[in-house]
Amino acid sequence: MFYNVDLDSRLMLGTAQYPSPEVLRAAIAASGAGVITVSLRREGREGADFRAILAESGARILPNTAGCHTVREAVTTAQMAREVFGTAWIKLEVIGHADTLQPDPFALVEAARILSADGFEVFPYTTEDLIVGERLIEAGCRVLMPWGAPIGSGQGLRNRAGLASMRAHFPDVPLVVDAGIGTPSQAMAAMEMGFDAVLLNTAVAMARDPVAMARAFGQAVAAGRIACQAGLMPQREMAVASTPVFGMAELV
């Protein structure tokens, strides 16, 4: 549950870089995504088509502050997005490093505090740093979105130990793995670890067949969630026979 909203799907899908509006429309439908993320940009002639795709998807819209590098940029973009899309939800990005697109933790917390006080329901894009997570919660965030790896890298869960520690440290906070997911198996792994959702874009948009890939990610996220709830078997140092020795035939 994210800000008291239950979602039918735990896949969050981005809308950038698709080869055509038709492919985007089909990919959203195939994925079954519960949330669609969108950036605030100037609209050209294709703007009406894009808005129609969003409206017919039935998914929850999560505007983002992608491309913002300062608190002022992020806050202003969020305020405009609220007016345009009619939602208090905002995925907050405040980028601090040009190469890795790692968030600036200090600016991120400050922007989160300002937006939360202004009535926004903030989804902060952060790292797996526990202290930053604590500060974001104190700033008013009720969701955290740690990266799996740098945006668009496809490296997957680069710091599994750190992500596992974050899951254990914030047992009651919805956590979404955001960025760096490149394959359905990586998305499934995040869900098996107990994360509440996965957000991705490039892995679907840039696939040879985005529609098929979107369907694969939707199924992987669902399967990972079921597996987590079912209870994964623990890893063992030694082999343990699954077939009992008792009752075997005695050879003489």
Side-chain angles (χ1 to χ4, degrees), residues 11 31 183-192 198 213-227:
L11 175 62
S31 73
T183 67
S185 60
Q186 294 166 357
M188 181 182 291
M191 298 303 296
E192 289 176 346
V198 170
M213 187 63 75
R215 183 177 298 108
F217 270 106
Q219 294 173 354
V221 167
R225 177 65 178 179
I226 293 171

Side-chain angles (χ1 to χ4, degrees), residues 197-218:
V198 170
L199 193 157
L200 56 97
N201 185 168
T202 308
V204 171
M206 304 301 289
R208 184 173 62 252
D209 185 341
V211 178
M213 187 63 75
R215 183 177 298 108
F217 270 106

Side-chain angles (χ1 to χ4, degrees), residues 164-177:
S165 294
M166 194 171 202
R167 178 68 283 178
H169 191 71
F170 297 103
D172 300 319
V173 177
L175 300 181
V176 181
V177 172

